[in-house]
Amino acid sequence: MSLTLLAIESSCDDTSAAVLKDGKVLSNIVSSQKIHEEYGGVVPELASREHQANIIPVVTKALKLAGVDKAEIDGIAFTKGPGLLGSLLVGVTFAKSLALALDIPLIEVHHMKAHVMAHYIDDPVPNEPFLCLTVSGGHTQIVKVNSPTEMRIIGNTIDDAAGEAFDKAGKMLGLDYPAGPLIDKYAKEGEAKFHFNKPKIKDLDFSFSGLKTSILYSLKKWKTEDPDFIEKNRNDLCASIQSTIIEILIDKLESAARQENIKDIAIAGGVSANSGLRQAVSLLGEKLNGQVYIPQFQYCTDNAAMIGISAHYQFDEGVYADQSVKPDPRMVF
Ligand code: KG4
Ligand code: ZN
């Protein structure tokens, strides 16, 4: 039997809708909210209002591009959490209303599991078990994936996420939000010649707050010596910050691979769009002599295709939500 799913993602500041047929992505529309740039970070209330304005046009566009009429949809997938309550609420309410009107099932999806599931969008799908380093604006996790519906976190951040570290460091350099892509761009022209303190955290957990403080104090010191220090050294600073964050991430991923005796590794989430991280994980894969899975750029940052593919696998197992479902900003993994 053929299965056509509409998927909705609205956990943070991207409104996205995708249509999948039998696990193949027919369309994946993402509307990124520019309004937050001037505030240097996501303003939750503004995000939720933008989702309200965007959701119908985004869904309409996704259906049109896919050439699918809403009468042909067999189920609606949506992000239940984690995320911003007001943002999630728009997607959840929209999905519930449409499912009710069309009398079709609802499938609730965990946003962080969906980032991992981005690896199941295109063939070949990964060999299990594999380890996925999921790095986004709100999370940094090492996930052991046994199957699309069975995965477990084995390492987690105890404070800031890797994306947050990029964004906050970028803010200190005077870069716009989100600074991650800009640091990536400038780092390509620079040399990693500045040194910042790396955390010493036990097990497979991460910490980025100490690095943030180290960058802050170093910049303060250098600026008192030369007020134009940042402008003069922007590219080298970006390269140094980026390489420090990558070293922290890759060191832990390597420890996890050795501890779990798993050679196949993957990256996912917004920060997996980073060119330095993509290169570093490929090198680690060679060192481990295992497979490396890197998502296409469009499936790194928030998108509804990853929600749809998660639902596709959940659908097979008959995991549905009902009309009483509510957004869960701190949804457990
Ligand atoms: O997964 P995502 O789109 O949203 C969340 O679920 O948080 O991740 C957004 C994060 C932001 O912190 C952004 O700066 C970071 O991903 N990011 C990058 C790059 N592209 C996006 N960080 C470093 N290099 C990039 N190229
Ligand atoms: Zn995300």
Side-chain angles (χ1 to χ4, degrees):
M1 196 196 88
S2 143
L3 177 65
T4 303
L5 296 175
L6 170 69
I8 313 283
E9 155 62 33
S10 73
S11 64
C12 190
D13 58 345
D14 296 299
T15 318
S16 181
V19 177
L20 285 85
K21 191 172 172 139
D22 300 327
K24 294 283 157 242
V25 178
L26 300 184
S27 62
N28 179 43
I29 304 294
V30 183
S31 168
S32 297
Q33 304 177 358
K34 297 279 167 249
I35 194 161
H36 309 287
E37 272 173 22
E38 61 183 286
Y39 298 94
V42 178
V43 184
E45 178 60 29
L46 294 179
S48 120
R49 286 191 216 173
E50 288 276 300
H51 282 305
Q52 276 181 327
N54 293 342
I55 189 110
I56 292 176
V58 165
V59 169
T60 308
K61 213 166 156 184
L63 287 169
K64 192 167 171 213
L65 188 67
V68 166
D69 186 82
K70 53 183 191 307
E72 297 171 66
I73 309 169
D74 300 309
I76 303 183
F78 63 95
T79 306
K80 182 182 177 184
L84 300 170
L85 177 60
S87 291
L88 291 165
L89 199 55
V90 177
V92 173
T93 312
F94 180 87
K96 280 164 71 172
S97 317
L98 193 58
L100 188 66
L102 299 173
D103 193 23
I104 53 175
L106 275 169
I107 309 105
E108 60 178 51
V109 173
H110 190 289
H111 181 85
M112 296 311 295
K113 289 185 176 174
H115 271 301
V116 176
M117 287 302 295
H119 289 286
Y120 289 81
I121 294 175
D122 291 322
D123 288 332
V125 298
N127 297 320
E128 296 116 356
F130 68 97
L131 296 179
C132 185
L133 170 70
T134 317
V135 270
S136 72
H139 297 82
T140 304
Q141 303 171 335
I142 298 177
V143 179
K144 182 178 175 189
V145 186
N146 290 321
S147 81
T149 50
E150 199 210 321
M151 48 181 98
R152 183 168 60 85
I153 297 173
I154 58 170
N156 214 336
T157 183
I158 57 170
D159 43 54
D160 291 355
E164 228 172 327
F166 270 103
D167 295 337
K168 287 182 178 166
K171 201 171 179 177
M172 293 178 214
L173 300 179
L175 304 179
D176 283 344
Y177 175 86
L182 293 170
I183 292 185
D184 191 357
K185 181 174 145 199
Y186 297 136
K188 286 188 185 129
E189 311 294 325
E191 192 193 322
K193 63 180 195 191
F194 299 111
H195 294 280
F196 303 108
N197 293 340
K198 284 200 287 176
K200 291 183 186 64
I201 306 295
K202 65 175 177 54
D203 302 328
L204 298 175
D205 290 332
F206 300 92
S207 166
F208 288 100
S209 70
L211 172 64
K212 195 175 63 188
T213 313
S214 169
I215 297 170
L216 182 71
Y217 286 124
S218 300
L219 288 177
K220 259 192 187 156
K221 183 171 148 276
W222 294 327
K223 275 201 298 191
T224 48
E225 290 159 11
D226 176 1
D228 299 327
F229 185 86
I230 293 181
E231 289 69 26
K232 287 181 188 161
N233 295 280
R234 186 194 61 191
N235 296 351
D236 292 342
L237 283 166
C238 286
S240 309
I241 291 165
Q242 176 167 307
S243 78
T244 310
I245 296 174
I246 293 172
E247 275 172 34
I248 297 170
L249 294 170
I250 292 290
D251 280 356
K252 289 286 177 173
L253 185 57
E254 181 169 1
S255 303
R258 301 207 186 275
Q259 180 183 305
E260 297 290 322
N261 201 17
I262 293 177
K263 291 189 293 190
D264 296 344
I265 51 175
I267 48 173
V271 181
S272 68
N274 184 272
S275 54
L277 180 61
R278 293 165 89 91
Q279 226 167 16
V281 80
S282 298
L283 290 176
L284 178 59
E286 279 174 28
K287 192 169 163 189
L288 296 170
N289 201 16
Q291 289 289 325
V292 177
Y293 306 108
I294 298 176
Q296 278 189 49
F297 282 111
Q298 59 168 329
Y299 302 136
C300 290
T301 44
D302 289 348
N303 66 89
M306 68 184 194
I307 305 302
I309 196 75
S310 305
H312 178 84
Y313 282 91
Q314 290 174 224
F315 203 93
D316 285 347
E317 302 203 347
V319 187
Y320 307 131
D322 62 35
Q323 285 289 331
S324 67
V325 68
K326 293 186 183 67
D328 187 349
R330 295 180 173 277
M331 188 174 182
V332 291
F333 197 84

